[in-house]
Amino acid sequence: MNSERVKGMNKQYDVVVIGSGPAGYVAAIRCAQLGFSVACVEKWKNKKNKAVYGGTCLNVGCIPSKALLDSSHKFLEAQNDFDLHGISLQKLGIDVPKMLARKDKVVNQLTDGIKGLFAANKVEGIFGTAKIKGPNTVAISDCDGDNHDLEAKYIIIATGSKPIDIPPVPIDDKIIVDSTGALEFDEVPKRLGVIGAGVIGLELGSVWARLGSEVTVLEALDSFLPSVDREISRNVSKIFGKQGLNIKLASRVTGYSLGKGGKKQINIEYSDQDGEEKKTFDKVIVAVGRRPMTEDLFDDKLQIDLCDRGFVKVDDQCKTNISNIFAVGDVVRGPMLAHKGSEEGVMVAERLAGKKTQVNYDLIPSVIYTHPEIAWVGKNEEELKEEGVDFKTGSFPFAASGRALAANDSEGLVKIIADAQTDRILGCHIVGPSAADLLQQIVISMEFSASAEDIGLTMFSHPALSEAVHEAALAVNGHAIHIGNKKKR
Ligand code: FAD
Ligand code: NAD
């Protein structure tokens, strides 16, 4: 599996990975760990025009959004909760440029970290734009404008995704921004419009609402978070209402005009049940989904199969129709989540090395990092009813959790769904503090086909938020101790 370098000839590798987001860099590192010679090509340049690794996730996605969610949550706590704890503040303020600078520092630390990981694992990182010329040839146009080819036994496409634009409200990067622009507002917009009540709309809408923006979210669908268990989405809807997020469902954006202040204000036109409406904002975030990045990636002669919406077509093992070319992450079917892409990257690497690794697509955890967090895995009640599966549920509210009350963070609940006959856990749905971390306990349990009784028989430390998971599992069979049970057995 050694690479050959012959002077004057193209560089040769066992594996060339295109893209260094969480799907690509993980695939590259795992391939190198397994003894392959690997190059990873990346074209991303950050706002300082520096070539960097890490893709959407590290540069403008998961990490910077969570940095701002954490900063804004601390601000909100200082504003609303400190007094309850007997902590008084003289004057509370928000220095937005400082908050953004902290976010940038975290991003730089992590993107530089990938450079270190590549060096430690002997992955050759190459900054440039890749195009697949043939089944074994990747053409690189590097950062200095030089062109050269790489030869590869295997190619892994991990080119990710980018935001979808909508014609009625085109991004201008000034007043109308996408998720990347929404991480860079240099002051808190007084009135913020968000188009799309999906994950990005809720997370980034929350950031600016906590800092004082009056936020209106316009969602085209008439249901809120349709892929979330209905009991949970109803709960979340109430919580967001209390937090001041004004979510308008069934609101279809039709156009815009600039307000009196020229570029400083925008009127968004939309239609809802009441007819044509108009609302004025200082900034608008468009967050209506993302689409795969495949533009200019393939030579016309390369007959790679794409799906209707532009995703690279792959099988369960991420193989394309060309036997030595694979594709992983946002550029292929499935949820656009960093951890899903990383697991696919590991699977492809390990299968190239002859292992039988699989991704369990039934157990991909989803999290919305608002406060409280929303997290789920497996099936929800509506899906199970549609499939005709006989199930039982158990729930536990954080309002009955000693640890949540001690932290003054007791909104939400844990809900566990299990098969009515076998007791095997089929799904878990949480809204509440640290929902992402609590959910992981159930993801692991489900990987081992645990029953609700297995969780019930496990000892949980006290006082901890995870006791809510324990009690919800006990409640599935009517054995919860710290709430009344629906069924008594
Ligand atoms: P990407 O991260 O998009 O990386 C693809 C890389 O390929 C890019 O760096 C790109 O420059 C490079 N590339 C593309 N074409 C070429 C080419 N021709 N040559 C060379 N390089 C190329 N997911 C979560 O799981 N949790 C979260 O909390 C979360 N938060 C998010 C918040 C926001 C605001 C956004 C926008 C996304 C968030 N996501 C989150 C989604 C997550 O970022 C993506 O699912 C993830 O980044 C996809 O990884 P990827 O490696 O497939 O693609
Ligand atoms: P999304 O698919 O989560 O939500 C988009 C929303 O916009 C949907 O509710 C959709 O009905 C609505 N919409 C579509 N067209 C519209 C229109 N014309 N007018 C009004 N509403 C419209 O997409 P997103 O929020 O842009 O996020 C993109 C991807 O990034 C998601 O797939 C998500 O998985 C990923 N992401 C994940 C996280 C996380 O894991 N915490 C965070 C951010 C982003």
Side-chain angles (χ1 to χ4, degrees):
M1 294 188 201
N2 289 324
S3 70
E4 296 163 37
R5 176 106 211 263
V6 182
K7 219 174 168 208
M9 288 183 64
N10 294 338
K11 260 188 153 182
Q12 299 188 351
Y13 298 90
D14 294 320
V15 185
V16 170
V17 181
I18 305 175
S20 72
Y25 84 77
V26 170
I29 290 173
R30 190 68 191 118
C31 283
Q33 287 173 347
L34 290 160
F36 294 105
S37 60
V38 186
C40 182
V41 191
E42 176 55 65
K43 69 174 185 183
W44 195 287
K45 289 209 175 154
N46 69 12
K47 60 188 174 188
K48 291 193 171 147
N49 208 29
K50 184 182 161 201
V52 286
Y53 300 118
T56 303
C57 169
L58 267 57
N59 288 288
V60 296
C62 320
I63 299 303
S65 59
K66 270 72 231 177
L68 296 187
L69 278 159
D70 283 334
S71 296
S72 57
H73 183 61
K74 285 188 195 305
F75 178 77
L76 199 70
E77 279 192 315
Q79 194 173 54
N80 295 348
D81 296 347
F82 279 15
D83 188 49
L84 274 172
H85 293 271
I87 303 167
S88 54
L89 286 172
Q90 291 300 315
K91 190 168 172 274
L92 184 65
I94 177 77
D95 180 340
V96 175
K98 196 167 175 179
M99 179 181 79
L100 298 188
R102 187 194 82 90
K103 178 252 310 169
D104 291 342
K105 199 169 160 211
V106 175
V107 166
N108 293 337
Q109 188 179 342
L110 288 166
T111 54
D112 283 349
I114 294 190
K115 217 189 263 177
L117 290 172
F118 277 0
N121 287 283
K122 302 195 171 40
V123 171
E124 185 159 348
I126 298 172
F127 287 122
T129 302
K131 180 170 188 149
I132 307 180
K133 265 173 67 174
N136 297 99
T137 312
V138 179
I140 308 293
S141 163
D142 73 20
C143 287
D144 309 320
D146 293 334
N147 298 320
H148 60 279
D149 288 352
L150 306 178
E151 296 299 321
K153 276 188 206 148
Y154 305 106
I155 296 170
I156 303 178
I157 301 166
T159 49
S161 63
K162 61 181 194 184
I164 292 175
D165 304 315
I166 46 170
V169 188
I171 305 294
D172 66 4
D173 283 326
K174 292 186 184 93
I175 200 159
I176 309 169
V177 300
D178 59 17
S179 57
T180 300
L183 299 167
E184 297 295 338
F185 294 151
D186 52 10
E187 58 183 18
V188 180
K190 193 167 172 307
R191 293 157 304 180
L192 174 64
V194 179
I195 303 179
V199 196
I200 292 180
L202 294 175
E203 289 187 358
L204 294 180
S206 294
V207 165
W208 297 105
R210 290 168 189 174
L211 300 176
S213 288
E214 190 186 291
V215 177
T216 304
V217 186
L218 301 173
E219 165 60 49
L221 296 179
D222 59 3
S223 55
F224 177 58
L225 292 176
S227 52
V228 174
D229 183 272
R230 208 158 298 153
E231 186 183 355
I232 300 289
S233 61
R234 269 199 302 265
N235 209 291
V236 170
S237 183
K238 275 190 216 142
I239 294 172
F240 284 162
K242 275 196 278 173
Q243 290 180 359
L245 280 186
N246 179 13
I247 299 170
K248 290 179 173 290
L249 299 178
S251 299
R252 190 160 282 280
V253 175
T254 50
Y256 77 97
S257 61
L258 291 175
K260 283 192 203 115
K263 280 266 167 199
K264 297 229 167 76
Q265 278 183 6
I266 182 169
N267 302 312
I268 293 288
E269 294 144 16
Y270 63 98
S271 57
D272 62 13
Q273 300 96 314
D274 302 325
E276 300 303 313
E277 305 278 343
K278 198 189 268 185
K279 211 160 167 47
T280 304
F281 300 109
D282 301 296
K283 293 275 185 201
V284 171
I285 304 172
V286 178
V288 295
R290 296 176 63 83
R291 62 186 174 85
M293 283 260 275
T294 52
E295 286 107 323
D296 221 18
L297 182 61
F298 307 112
D299 190 279
D300 292 342
K301 287 193 277 303
L302 194 83
Q303 304 269 303
I304 199 137
D305 286 348
L306 300 181
C307 306
D308 295 347
R309 290 166 57 216
F311 291 95
V312 177
K313 214 173 201 174
V314 288
D315 66 11
D316 280 357
Q317 281 118 43
C318 292
K319 224 188 248 175
T320 69
N321 60 311
I322 300 176
S323 63
N324 67 315
I325 303 184
F326 299 80
V328 293
D330 280 12
V331 79
V332 302
R333 83 280 169 271
M336 289 183 166
L337 296 172
H339 42 284
K340 174 263 191 185
S342 299
E343 288 305 305
E344 288 179 331
V346 168
M347 171 176 70
V348 170
E350 297 195 346
R351 293 188 83 89
L352 290 180
K355 296 175 189 283
K356 296 275 175 246
T357 313
Q358 299 268 12
V359 168
N360 185 350
Y361 286 102
D362 292 334
L363 282 188
I364 300 175
S366 295
V367 181
I368 306 178
Y369 290 89
T370 45
H371 195 90
E373 290 177 353
I374 307 155
W376 68 98
V377 69
K379 298 281 166 100
N380 61 40
E381 279 203 42
E382 292 72 38
E383 289 164 336
L384 290 168
K385 277 179 196 153
E386 219 172 277
E387 290 170 19
V389 176
D390 195 10
F391 63 86
K392 50 192 176 175
T393 68
S395 301
F396 189 80
F398 285 101
S401 151
R403 188 72 186 88
L405 287 168
N408 189 40
D409 202 354
S410 60
E411 277 183 308
L413 69 147
V414 178
K415 171 173 175 178
I416 292 177
I417 308 180
D419 186 280
Q421 275 78 46
T422 65
D423 198 40
R424 184 175 171 169
I425 300 173
L426 302 175
C428 178
H429 307 268
I430 307 178
V431 50
S434 302
D437 294 319
L438 297 183
L439 183 82
Q440 200 58 42
Q441 305 173 10
I442 294 294
V443 181
I444 296 169
S445 308
M446 287 176 76
E447 275 290 356
F448 290 94
S449 308
S451 63
E453 188 185 27
D454 289 329
I455 308 282
L457 289 170
T458 306
M459 195 181 295
F460 281 69
S461 43
H462 174 78
L465 291 173
S466 55
E467 287 173 298
V469 173
H470 189 216
E471 289 277 346
L474 288 168
V476 168
N477 291 312
H479 302 162
I481 303 294
H482 294 90
I483 41 161
N485 288 287
K486 280 194 193 131
K487 312 175 226 96
K488 295 245 184 310
R489 290 187 187 171

